[in-house]
C-alpha cells in the first residue's frame, strides 16, 4: 500500500527514533564479522610455532606465509570498496565473509608452505574486503549523535577477536593440533555468512542514494520504527557535487581529495607504528637485557588497549573529532619516545608500554568512524576501504623499518625516537584535515548530520 506522508531524509528518520532491536541485530552481525576478521588475521601467528615444529621449516621461511595476508588485506580493501559503492554493502560484505571463511578452512588442509601462502593471501582478500564494508554498513544505520561511539564499539571486535584467538589456540593446539584453529576460523564465518544472508539488510541510505523503490526502503525502516509506514518517500540529501560519480570518483574528486590524502597518510603512519612495535618489541627488549619471558609479556600489553576506542567514540560524538584523534597520535608519539628511555626500570616500562598501546590503538581504531563521517553515501565504502587498504602498506613498511634501523646500528632509545615520528606525522595530518575542512571542525554527531544534507 502506498503511504501518502511527506518526504523524509533517511538520516533524519534514524536520528528521530530510539536505537531499535533491529539496529542492534545489525550491530551484532557486523561486530561478529570484525571479531572473526581479528581472529583469522591473527591465527597464523598463533600456529606459526607448530608449523616450524611439524614441517621442519626455518623461521625465515615462514616470512611469506606471515606476510601473505597483509598483501591480501590491502588488495581486498582497495578492490571491494568501489565494488560495494556500485553493487551494495550487503552483497560485498556477505561475499567477503564466505571468501575468507572458505579460504581459512581450506588452509587447514594445506600440505606445504607454498599452498598455505596462497591460501593466506586469498584469506586476506576476504578479510580486507569485510572490514571496511562492516564499518560502512554499521555507520549508515547509526543515529548521528551516537555514530562514532557505535562504530568504534563495533570496531573493537577486531582486537578482541585477535586476543580471544590466542586463548583458544593455546587450548586447542595441544588437544587437536594447529589445523583445528584454521578449521574453526573457517567454519565460523561460513555459518555467519548464512545468518547474514537471512538477517542482514542492505543499507537504507545506499538504497535511497541509488534510487531504489520506496517500498523496498520502507520495508527495512519499518522494522526500526512503525512510523516509516507513514512516510511518502525517503530521500538522501547528499551533497550534489559528486552525484553520479563512481565511489572512487567521489573519493578523488576536488571536493574530497585532500581529505582523502590526509586520511591515508594518517592511517598509514599509524600502522607503521603498530607493526614496527608488534613485530620487534620482544626482540628489542631481549637485546636490551630483559629476560625473554618478561620481554614477551611486556610486549603483549601493547595491543590490549584497543577497547579504549569506545571512549574516544564518545568524545568524538561530543567534541571536535579531528582534534581528539590528533591529540591521541601526538600523545602516542611522546609515550613511544618514552619507551626508549624506560628500559632500566621494568615496572615503569610496563606502564609506558601499556599507555602507548592504549593511545595508539585507540587513535587508530577511531579512524574508520572519522572516514565514514567524512564521505557521502555514494563514496563511503570506497573512502573507508581505501584508507584501510593503503594503510596496510604502512604495516608492511613498519615491519621493515626497525630491521633497517637495527642494521644501521642505532641504539634502543634512537630506534624508539624514530618510530615515534610517524605519530607526529599522523597528528599533523589529522590537524591539517580539520583546517582544510572547517565545516567538519565539530563533533561527529554534528558533522554526520550536516554532511548528509
Amino acid at each position: 500500500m502506498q503511504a501518502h506522508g511527506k518526504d523524509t531524509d533517511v538520516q533524519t528518520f534514524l536520528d528521530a527514533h530510539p536505537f531499535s532491536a533491529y539496529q542492534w541485530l545489525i550491530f551484532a552481525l557486523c561486530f561478529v564479522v570484525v571479531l572473526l576478521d581479528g581472529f583469522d588475521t591473527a591465527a597464523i601467528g598463533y600456529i606459526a610455532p607448530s608449523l616450524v615444529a611439524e614441517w621442519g621449516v626455518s623461521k625465515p621461511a615462514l616470512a611469506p606465509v606471515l606476510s601473505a595476508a597483509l598483501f591480501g588485506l590491502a588488495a581486498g580493501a582497495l578492490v571491494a570498496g568501489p565494488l560495494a559503492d556500485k553493487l551494495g554493502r550487503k552483497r560485498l560484505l556477505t561475499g567477503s565473509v564466505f571468501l575468507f571463511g572458505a579460504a581459512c578452512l581450506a588452509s587447514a588442509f594445506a600440505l606445504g608452505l607454498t599452498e598455505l601462502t596462497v591460501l593466506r593471501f586469498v584469506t586476506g582478500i576476504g578479510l580486507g574486503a569485510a572490514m571496511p564494508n562492516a564499518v560502512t554498513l554499521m555507520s549508515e544505520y547509526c543515529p548521528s549523535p551516537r555514530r562514532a561511539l557505535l562504530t568504534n564499539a563495533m570496531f573493537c571486535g577486531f582486537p578482541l577477536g585477535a586476543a580471544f584467538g590466542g586463548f583458544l589456540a593455546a587450548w586447542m593446539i595441544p588437544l587437536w593440533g594447529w589445523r583445528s584453529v584454521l578449521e574453526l576460523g573457517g567454519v565460523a564465518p561460513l555459518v555467519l555468512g548464512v545468518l547474514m544472508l537471512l538477517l542482514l539488510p542492505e543499507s537504507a541510505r545506499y538504497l535511497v542514494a541509488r534510487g531504489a523503490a520506496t517500498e523496498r526502503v520502507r520495508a527495512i525502516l519499518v522494522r526500526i520504527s512503525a512510523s516509516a509506514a507513514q512516510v511518502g518517500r525517503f530521500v538522501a540529501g547528499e551533497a550534489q557535487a559528486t552525484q553520479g560519480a563512481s565511489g572512487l570518483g567521489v573519493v578523488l574528486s576536488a571536493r574530497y581529495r585532500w581529505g582523502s590524502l590526509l586520511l591515508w597518510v594518517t592511517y598509514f603512519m599509524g600502522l607503521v607504528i603498530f607493526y614496527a612495535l608488534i613485530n620487534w618489541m620482544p626482540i628489542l627488549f631481549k637485546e636490551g637485557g630483559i629476560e625473554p619471558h618478561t620481554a614477551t609479556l611486556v610486549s603483549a600489553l601493547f595491543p590490549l588497549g584497543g577497547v579504549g576506542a569506545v571512549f574516544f567514540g564518545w568524545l568524538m560524538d561530543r567534541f571536535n573529532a579531528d582534534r581528539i584523534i590528533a591529540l591521541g597520535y601526538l600523545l602516542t608519539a611522546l609515550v613511544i619516545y618514552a619507551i626508549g628511555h624506560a628500559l632500566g626500570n621494568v615496572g615503569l616500562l610496563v606502564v609506558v608500554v601499556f599507555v602507548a598501546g592504549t593511545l595508539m590503538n585507540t587513535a587508530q581504531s577511531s579512524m574508520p568512524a572519522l572516514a565514514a563521517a567524512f564521505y557521502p553515501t555514494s563514496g563511503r565504502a570506497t573512502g573507508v576501504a581505501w584508507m584501510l587498504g593503503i594503510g596496510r602498506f604502512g604495516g608492511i613498511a613498519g615491519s621493515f623499518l626497525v630491521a633497517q634501523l637495527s642494521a644501521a646500528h642505532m641504539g634502543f632509545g634512537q630506534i624508539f625516537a624514530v618510530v615515534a615520528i610517524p605519530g607526529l606525522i599522523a597528528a599533523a595530518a589529522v590537524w591539517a584535515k580539520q583546517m582544510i575542512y572547517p565545516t567538519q571542525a565539530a563533533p561527529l554527531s554534528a558533522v554526520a548530520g550536516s554532511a548528509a544534507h
Side-chain angles (χ1 to χ4, degrees):
M1 183 178 73
Q2 178 65 46
H4 299 288
K6 63 180 181 179
D7 290 357
T8 300
D9 181 83
V10 175
Q11 189 60 51
T12 302
F13 177 86
L14 294 173
D15 292 348
H17 297 92
F19 202 73
S20 65
Y22 191 54
Q23 286 162 295
W24 279 119
L25 173 64
I26 297 168
F27 175 91
L29 289 170
C30 290
F31 179 86
V32 177
V33 169
V34 178
L35 183 85
L36 293 176
D37 199 310
F39 179 92
D40 278 7
T41 298
I44 193 69
Y46 298 130
I47 68 172
S50 299
L51 293 178
V52 172
E54 182 174 320
W55 288 351
V57 297
S58 65
K59 290 180 181 178
L62 279 180
V65 177
L66 295 174
S67 61
L70 279 178
F71 287 96
L73 283 160
L78 294 176
V79 172
L83 283 176
D85 280 327
K86 183 177 182 180
L87 302 176
R89 282 74 162 113
K90 176 180 178 177
R91 191 177 300 178
L92 261 293
L93 179 56
T94 306
S96 62
V97 169
F98 277 120
L99 177 61
F100 79 71
C104 190
L105 182 59
S107 300
F109 301 95
L111 299 177
L113 282 181
T114 301
E115 187 179 354
L116 186 59
T117 299
V118 172
L119 288 169
R120 285 301 296 173
F121 176 76
V122 176
T123 303
I125 292 174
L127 295 170
M131 177 79 76
N133 280 303
V135 171
T136 299
L137 182 61
M138 185 66 238
S139 73
E140 291 181 346
Y141 273 106
C142 288
S144 298
R146 299 166 67 189
R147 173 166 289 138
L149 175 65
L150 289 164
T151 304
N152 281 17
M154 185 211 72
F155 203 75
C156 285
F158 186 86
L160 288 175
F164 186 55
F167 294 117
L168 272 179
W171 171 62
M172 294 173 67
I173 291 174
L175 289 174
W176 302 298
W178 62 267
R179 296 178 189 273
S180 66
V181 176
L182 297 178
E183 288 169 356
L184 176 63
V187 172
L190 295 177
V191 173
L192 176 63
V194 174
L195 293 175
M196 291 166 66
L197 284 175
L198 298 173
L199 302 174
L200 190 68
E202 179 55 270
S203 163
R205 287 181 65 173
Y206 171 82
L207 290 173
V208 171
R210 299 292 289 188
T214 297
E215 290 75 16
R216 184 179 176 190
V217 179
R218 189 184 293 120
I220 295 172
L221 295 181
V222 76
R223 301 187 66 176
I224 293 173
S225 171
S227 64
Q230 307 306 316
V231 175
R233 188 170 66 102
F234 285 100
V235 297
E238 305 282 3
Q240 294 301 309
T242 56
Q243 292 301 298
S246 66
L248 191 55
V250 172
V251 170
L252 299 178
S253 66
R255 184 187 186 104
Y256 293 102
R257 71 169 63 112
W258 281 108
S260 297
L261 178 62
L262 291 168
L263 288 170
W264 298 348
V265 168
T266 304
Y267 205 77
F268 181 98
M269 291 298 167
L271 287 189
V272 168
I273 296 172
F274 182 81
Y275 281 96
L277 297 187
I278 282 292
N279 290 337
W280 288 98
M281 261 200 302
I283 295 172
L284 292 174
F285 288 163
K286 290 172 193 172
E287 291 178 348
I290 295 178
E291 192 268 329
H293 180 68
T294 303
T296 300
L297 289 178
V298 174
S299 302
L301 294 172
F302 186 76
L304 290 180
V307 179
V310 175
F311 175 60
F312 254 40
W314 182 85
L315 291 175
M316 290 162 65
D317 281 330
R318 286 158 178 78
F319 304 102
N320 183 301
D322 290 310
R323 291 179 184 174
I324 293 293
I325 295 178
L327 178 62
Y329 282 117
L330 176 62
L331 293 175
T332 294
L334 296 176
V335 182
I336 287 174
Y337 177 80
I339 293 175
H341 295 78
L343 187 62
N345 185 330
V346 174
L348 177 61
L349 187 65
V350 166
V351 173
V352 174
V353 168
F354 181 74
V355 171
T358 299
L359 290 166
M360 164 71 241
N361 288 291
T362 294
Q364 194 74 0
S365 296
S366 300
M367 288 298 294
L370 190 71
F374 178 67
Y375 296 106
T377 300
S378 56
R380 185 169 294 116
T382 300
V384 174
W386 272 58
M387 182 189 76
L388 295 176
I390 289 174
R392 297 293 178 184
F393 293 103
I396 296 166
S399 299
F400 287 101
L401 173 63
V402 178
Q404 294 301 313
L405 297 178
S406 296
H409 304 292
M410 282 193 172
F412 186 86
Q414 291 174 308
I415 289 175
F416 280 90
V418 172
V419 174
I421 293 173
L424 298 177
I425 297 173
V430 181
W431 192 270
K433 172 181 171 290
Q434 70 108 36
M435 297 296 289
I436 295 172
Y437 298 90
T439 57
Q440 292 210 348
L444 280 198
S445 56
V447 172
S450 62
H453 300 298

